[in-house]
Amino acid sequence: MSIADNLPRLASRADQRIGLDRIPVAWWIAAIVLLFLPVVASDFWLFQVMGWTFILGMIGLSLMFLAGYGGMVSLLQMSIAGTAGYMVAILGPSGVLTVSLGLSWWIVLPAAFLIAALFATVSGALAVRTEGIYTIMITLAIAAAFFYFTRQNYSVFNGYSGFNLVLPPQLFGVNWRDPLPFYYLTLGCAALCYGAVVYVARSPFGLALQGVRDNPRRMAALGFNVTAHRVAAYALASVFASMGGILLVWQNAQIAPGTIGISAAIDILVVAVVGGLRRPLGPFIGAFIYVLLQVFSSDILGFFGFSADRFKLIIGIGFLAVVLFSPDGVLGLWDRWRAQVAARDAAATGDGA
């Protein structure tokens, strides 16, 4: 039975507010660990490992939202994140004084989100008219075109060099690029994006989007505008990707065409698939695994006498292993293990009875 059959009943449940008592104990433990992690973690772990994990997780979350709830696999999410990042560099202050306008942050940030959402909406309007591999190819073509455009355009995007010294604003007297403030900034943004996806998934729009994923013809027969829901999903997903893109620019203090290249778009797909495309937590788990491999795989290869330049090999092998043994990602392995434990416990209880 598809979700379209249960849409009225599920929509009535969407109005029920989730109380704090319904949050599992494991989530409270995870929240406490993340909040107090700076007590034991070094600046490198806070800024480079965890900060990068949250950023990639937010961009991967936008892909998970489209693929998991809308059935649309998009390779455009890194380009959308890069659009927001470029707008921060172009409209705000940077080290390229001849291009950047130097506007105030309260103008730059809303404009960056708005322009990225417009780009996502227009691109989504083109992509949603196709399905399956054709959607992937269209979004990949748009991402490639945007990459080459930024690399060849010098009047607006400063070409191959891009922008440097793109720093976050000094709000409340805090340097948000210091490891501790940046960690809490990325953690807070990641929590907001995660909460937003969970809420939208239970809202009437989210339930309708899942109905469109399962049976678009039936949803259209029920009076839902299938195309509008899909395009709106692209626009909403752009908010999560844009937030990650802006934070990525602030973390690196720069942005260039290589940031939004084809390999970066594939990396976001790897992050989302490794973690799991069915739940919002998956992209963050995949991002954490990816960052650990990206940061430490070169040292591991060097320890065994291999060239450190082949660190992508370990990432590729890990990706293939997860896809082969669990198409639902790491979360799928976890669910399978829990099901096996529950089955053994039930069998043991039955034998004891």
Side-chain angles (χ1 to χ4, degrees), residues 56 182 245 271:
L56 292 181
F182 188 79
V271 164

Side-chain angles (χ1 to χ4, degrees), residues 292-317:
L292 289 180
L293 291 176
Q294 186 87 335
V295 172
F296 298 109
S297 60
S298 58
D299 297 331
I300 296 174
L301 288 173
F303 177 79
F304 288 102
F306 297 100
S307 174
D309 296 334
R310 300 190 178 186
F311 66 93
K312 287 284 187 180
L313 178 63
I314 294 182
I315 298 176
I317 293 175

Side-chain angles (χ1 to χ4, degrees), residues 46-47 50-51 54-55 58 109 168-169 171-172 174-193 243 246-248 250-251:
L46 294 179
F47 185 81
M50 299 307 300
F54 294 138
I55 290 171
M58 282 183 277
L109 293 184
L171 297 179
F172 310 110
V174 177
N175 182 6
W176 292 100
R177 202 168 177 270
D178 285 341
L180 183 61
F182 188 79
Y183 169 78
Y184 281 116
L185 177 63
T186 54
L187 174 61
C189 292
L192 286 175
C193 291
M243 189 170 293
I246 293 172
L247 292 172
L248 181 62
W250 286 348
Q251 183 188 40

